[in-house]
Amino acid sequence: MAKKNNKDKKKNNKLILFIIGALILIAAVVGIFAFQELKAKEKEISYDQLYQDIVHHQVEKIEMTIGSSTVNIKYKDSDDEKTTNINSLQPFAEFLNNQLEENNPELKVEYKTPNKLMTFFENLLSFLPTILLVILIIMIFKMQGIGEKSKVYGENEENNTGVKFKDVAGLDEEKNELIEIVEFLKNPKKFQNMGAKIPRGILLYGKPGTGKTLIAKAIAGEANVPFISMSGSEFIEMFAGLGASRVRKLFEKAKKIAPCIVFIDEIDAIGSRRTSNSGAESENNQTLNQLLVEMDGFESNETIIVLAATNRPEMLDKALLRPGRFDRQITIPAPDLLGREEILKLYVKNKKLAADIDLKEIAGDTAGFTGAELSNLLNEAAILATRNQHKVIERSDIEAAIKKITVGLEKHNRVVSEKDKKLTAYHEAGHAVVSKFLETQDNVKEVSIIPRGLAGGYTMYKTNEDKYYISKTELEEKLVALLGGRAAEKIALNDISTGASNDIEVATGIARDMITVYGMSNSLGPISLKVDEPYELQIFGENITDEVGVQVKQLVDEAYIKAQKILLDHIDILHNVAQKLLEKETISEEEFNGFFEN
Ligand code: ADP
Ligand code: ZN
């Protein structure tokens, strides 16, 4: 974004310079004209004066040009030439003839034919200011992009992205896989001679912020080819019928400047599965069809690589994935522990950090963060450090930034009643205490009843490990931890509140996935069940939805009962932790663990 603004600014500066230059030029031309006019005026005498001078024998020579009303006059005793304007040449010529014949024989009269070239230039000169003005107006329009029909709406073009693979941290395997694309763009002949086929379309799958755009730009940067990008969501906003023509123009342009990279972000917006033919969808179909036509229409000697990004691969129309289209798919995962450390290393380069900051530790505290979030985290920390008037970014700044990003900003001035505080204290204590007795759950890092973001309080966990697989036991215990808040409210206050709504939503979602996605239910077994798809219901029958409902409910119910049992067994600890929270508002990992010693 920042880069684009800069470009716009540069463009504006250029425009202003140009306008100033043109104005100076026009002023100069007008000035010269005025000056010449003035000089001519100086030399000019009246017709009556000339008449008198001729009659009194003072004129040596008269020069007249055919077709011109200006007469040049040379006087006998002067080198200066004078001019005068006569309305009509004919009566003046007659008068001169009379003079010559009668009493003025020494007067010389010359008739000249006009110099065609000179008149042409004179005419041109008199039009110059107008011509300049017209050129100026055209340039202004051009520079503002008005009337420039070849420009594609929403499209961005960079001749040189300047991004290199070294600017993309982690993702080593992915970069390795893409190096051959760079080679191909640099030296297509080599591959063609070998008869090797390079994929034309590559689909990048991954969450937003994982660096898909960045890696696409890096390919262009490494190969030193232009990068044209466009976002699928922009097509949706457009008027009917325009989407397809935009796609066509985009590829026309790409062919002109090939070798190049075409990047289509959010391709799911145009390439989602074709189901029915209603309104917006048929519009999408046209756009999608045009995209397919373009992908199929590549000549074998064209060096255009189309990269597309999406975070919803399951939405894509299968036609997009056929051979010759987007037949190579690369998953761009959220960075793992090592990847996060690499990304942090990259972004601390231009920041001042306290000596005791350990990037490995920060990487450990930020499981699930994307590259964009990590870069944002360090930026937030730098802002907090500045606001706190620290000389360098301190640990506390980074911790505060992590909290701000994960649970939202502290809301110090939100007024919380004593009753609400007590409720929150028990709710959060419930989560924390229950987790402590669950084998698979993460350790508690901090518990607080200070409101943040939308939440009245929060329990933060330490997540040091990246997990690729999650076991059934772990998911079941996760449900128990989630319901620990509601369970504590019920046990300690004998009432329940709306504060648990998010916990319940998350827990229900997990339970549902356990049954329908991971095949973890005993009664239904390891089958994939998308109960909202009519097709699946045809296979399994309507009853399957009832059974899924029963199974989901059973998982959640059991978790709720287990959470209550744990809390009842350790009711003293629950009271103590809640009490401490009411006193201190926030308790640390050590303080929390202190309740479990002896
Ligand atoms: P996506 O296209 O996947 O949504 P972007 O490529 O736009 O994500 O990433 C957003 C920003 O996050 C990048 O400009 C970069 O600053 C940062 N970023 C993301 N992943 C990485 C990475 N692996 N290495 C370095 N920076 C990254
Ligand atoms: Zn909760």
Side-chain angles (χ1 to χ4, degrees):
M1 245 355 234
K3 233 185 211 160
K4 202 183 153 201
N5 281 341
N6 247 343
K7 235 194 238 160
D8 281 354
K9 236 184 229 160
K10 269 194 197 144
K11 212 167 153 190
N12 274 340
N13 284 344
K14 250 189 176 166
L15 182 68
I16 288 168
L17 269 180
F18 178 79
I19 292 176
I20 291 174
L23 283 179
I24 290 175
L25 204 64
I26 290 177
V29 169
V30 169
I32 289 169
F33 266 84
F35 185 69
Q36 276 182 345
E37 198 89 329
L38 215 70
K39 266 187 121 177
K41 276 261 149 58
E42 239 172 48
K43 294 199 309 190
E44 200 173 311
I45 56 169
S46 70
Y47 178 65
D48 282 341
Q49 180 73 49
L50 176 64
Y51 183 85
Q52 291 296 326
D53 291 344
I54 292 173
V55 172
H56 291 110
H57 297 242
Q58 281 165 345
V59 177
E60 184 185 318
K61 191 168 106 182
I62 300 280
E63 228 178 64
M64 284 181 291
T65 312
I66 295 164
S68 161
S69 62
T70 308
V71 177
N72 291 328
I73 308 135
K74 176 134 188 12
Y75 282 88
K76 277 181 178 162
D77 41 23
S78 155
D79 284 341
D80 284 359
E81 289 218 338
K82 298 274 176 189
T83 62
T84 192
N85 263 306
I86 47 173
N87 288 331
S88 162
L89 214 55
Q90 196 55 38
F92 184 64
E94 267 167 32
F95 158 73
L96 281 180
N97 274 341
N98 287 340
Q99 285 290 313
L100 289 174
E101 274 168 27
E102 284 170 18
N103 52 5
N104 211 342
E106 70 270 47
L107 178 67
K108 280 182 232 150
V109 177
E110 274 179 20
Y111 291 91
K112 289 205 312 191
T113 45
N115 185 335
K116 282 216 177 96
L117 205 65
M118 275 299 283
T119 13
F120 173 74
F121 275 115
E122 263 164 29
N123 283 340
L124 189 73
L125 215 63
S126 63
F127 281 121
L128 199 61
T130 324
I131 293 170
L132 269 175
L133 208 69
V134 169
I135 293 177
L136 178 73
I137 290 168
I138 292 174
M139 290 292 270
I140 289 174
F141 271 78
K142 267 234 156 111
M143 286 198 148
Q144 290 186 337
I146 302 165
E148 224 180 321
K149 293 218 180 58
S150 66
K151 179 115 179 76
V152 182
Y153 167 83
E155 172 222 290
N156 249 320
E157 188 190 333
E158 286 176 52
N159 269 330
N160 190 348
T161 62
V163 182
K164 292 279 158 69
F165 274 156
K166 69 167 169 42
D167 301 318
V168 184
L171 296 176
D172 290 332
E173 285 158 44
E174 290 76 12
K175 283 193 272 187
N176 258 338
E177 205 172 338
L178 291 165
I179 269 180
E180 70 179 44
I181 303 293
V182 175
E183 291 296 319
F184 170 68
L185 285 168
K186 273 187 181 163
N187 196 350
K189 284 254 155 41
K190 202 170 87 186
F191 287 80
Q192 281 152 8
N193 290 344
M194 197 65 79
K197 265 206 180 133
I198 287 293
R200 275 308 152 77
I202 301 168
L203 210 51
L204 303 174
Y205 292 153
K207 277 209 291 185
T210 44
K212 298 182 294 297
T213 313
L214 190 70
I215 211 165
K217 281 189 176 177
I219 296 172
E222 289 282 344
N224 199 13
V225 299
F227 178 86
I228 313 183
S229 66
M230 197 157 188
S231 173
S233 63
E234 278 153 11
F235 288 108
I236 301 182
E237 293 155 15
M238 272 176 327
F239 311 105
L242 275 186
S245 89
R246 301 295 183 198
V247 169
R248 205 182 56 240
K249 282 196 182 130
L250 185 73
F251 279 86
E252 254 169 34
K253 180 153 196 185
K255 279 174 193 168
K256 246 182 246 161
I257 60 172
C260 68
I261 296 270
V262 174
F263 181 69
I264 304 173
D265 204 0
E266 297 175 68
I267 194 172
D268 43 283
I270 34 173
S272 50
R273 263 180 274 173
R274 289 175 284 195
T275 41
S276 68
N277 260 341
S278 67
E281 269 192 26
S282 71
E283 164 64 14
N284 277 353
N285 282 355
Q286 287 181 25
T287 315
L288 174 60
N289 287 339
Q290 186 65 38
L291 183 62
L292 297 177
V293 167
E294 297 292 347
M295 296 292 296
D296 292 342
F298 278 136
E299 307 286 335
S300 58
N301 57 356
E302 262 158 0
T303 40
I304 300 171
I305 301 285
V306 187
L307 286 146
T310 179
N311 59 337
R312 294 186 294 178
E314 73 285 351
M315 295 279 293
L316 290 181
D317 196 298
K318 294 281 177 289
L320 270 173
L321 310 179
R322 296 228 182 91
R325 296 169 181 170
F326 293 97
D327 49 6
R328 172 86 64 98
Q329 287 114 44
I330 298 178
T331 306
I332 308 290
D336 59 8
L337 187 65
L338 224 93
R340 292 197 296 275
E341 197 185 335
E342 293 289 315
I343 294 173
L344 287 167
K345 262 189 209 154
L346 194 71
Y347 287 106
V348 295
K349 269 189 193 143
N350 56 358
K351 294 194 172 62
K352 290 188 206 138
L353 290 195
D356 65 339
I357 287 181
D358 181 5
L359 294 184
K360 200 168 264 165
E361 198 185 313
I362 303 175
D365 285 343
T366 49
F369 274 47
T370 62
E373 283 166 331
L374 288 170
S375 115
N376 182 28
L377 165 70
L378 289 175
N379 192 47
E380 285 290 346
I383 291 171
L384 288 173
T386 315
R387 211 190 285 159
N388 296 334
Q389 295 184 326
H390 296 159
K391 287 207 179 65
V392 291
I393 299 173
E394 291 175 10
R395 273 175 89 108
S396 61
D397 299 321
I398 294 201
E399 272 160 22
I402 294 178
K403 266 188 232 168
K404 186 175 163 184
I405 291 170
T406 49
V407 263
L409 207 57
E410 280 192 1
K411 297 254 162 70
H412 277 296
N413 36 16
R414 190 197 285 174
V415 184
V416 184
S417 70
E418 284 308 310
K419 189 166 162 268
D420 278 357
K421 260 193 192 164
K422 193 169 173 193
L423 185 97
T424 309
Y426 273 101
H427 181 103
E428 297 305 332
H431 282 306
V433 172
V434 165
S435 306
K436 186 78 183 174
F437 292 99
L438 297 168
E439 197 71 21
T440 63
Q441 294 305 293
D442 295 317
N443 288 335
V444 170
K445 192 179 155 101
E446 189 175 290
V447 193
S448 173
I449 57 166
I450 297 174
R452 267 180 186 274
L454 290 175
Y458 58 91
T459 303
M460 256 170 66
Y461 298 94
K462 262 173 117 164
T463 43
N464 278 326
E465 237 180 301
D466 285 287
K467 292 169 191 149
Y468 293 102
Y469 302 110
I470 308 176
S471 70
K472 183 180 176 188
T473 312
E474 205 174 331
L475 286 172
E476 282 170 349
E477 295 197 345
K478 178 100 201 155
L479 296 182
V480 179
L482 278 166
L483 292 164
R486 163 61 62 95
E489 289 177 28
K490 180 166 186 268
I491 290 167
L493 308 171
N494 195 25
D495 196 4
I496 51 177
S497 77
T498 54
S501 66
N502 186 48
D503 298 334
I504 291 170
E505 191 185 325
V506 174
T508 311
I510 292 175
R512 184 192 156 126
D513 282 352
M514 285 172 72
I515 308 296
T516 62
V517 181
Y518 307 122
M520 287 176 177
S521 101
N522 291 331
S523 71
L524 293 165
I527 46 168
S528 164
L529 280 163
K530 298 195 184 68
V531 281
D532 40 9
E533 289 216 357
Y535 173 70
E536 304 248 320
L537 289 184
Q538 274 173 29
I539 303 177
F540 298 112
E542 300 279 345
N543 287 344
I544 201 96
T545 39
D546 298 346
E547 183 58 21
V548 168
V550 169
Q551 293 286 318
V552 170
K553 185 172 176 339
Q554 195 179 325
L555 275 175
V556 178
D557 282 349
E558 276 169 10
Y560 188 38
I561 290 166
K562 185 156 181 205
Q564 292 180 63
K565 182 169 183 321
I566 293 173
L567 290 177
L568 282 171
D569 286 349
H570 305 277
I571 190 85
D572 294 345
I573 299 181
L574 177 68
H575 284 311
N576 291 344
V577 173
Q579 205 52 48
K580 193 75 168 184
L581 276 172
L582 285 170
E583 272 168 39
K584 288 196 61 190
E585 294 200 328
T586 300
I587 54 181
S588 70
E589 184 181 0
E590 293 79 35
E591 286 171 305
F592 177 71
N593 287 334
F595 290 107
F596 299 87
E597 278 156 18
N598 69 53

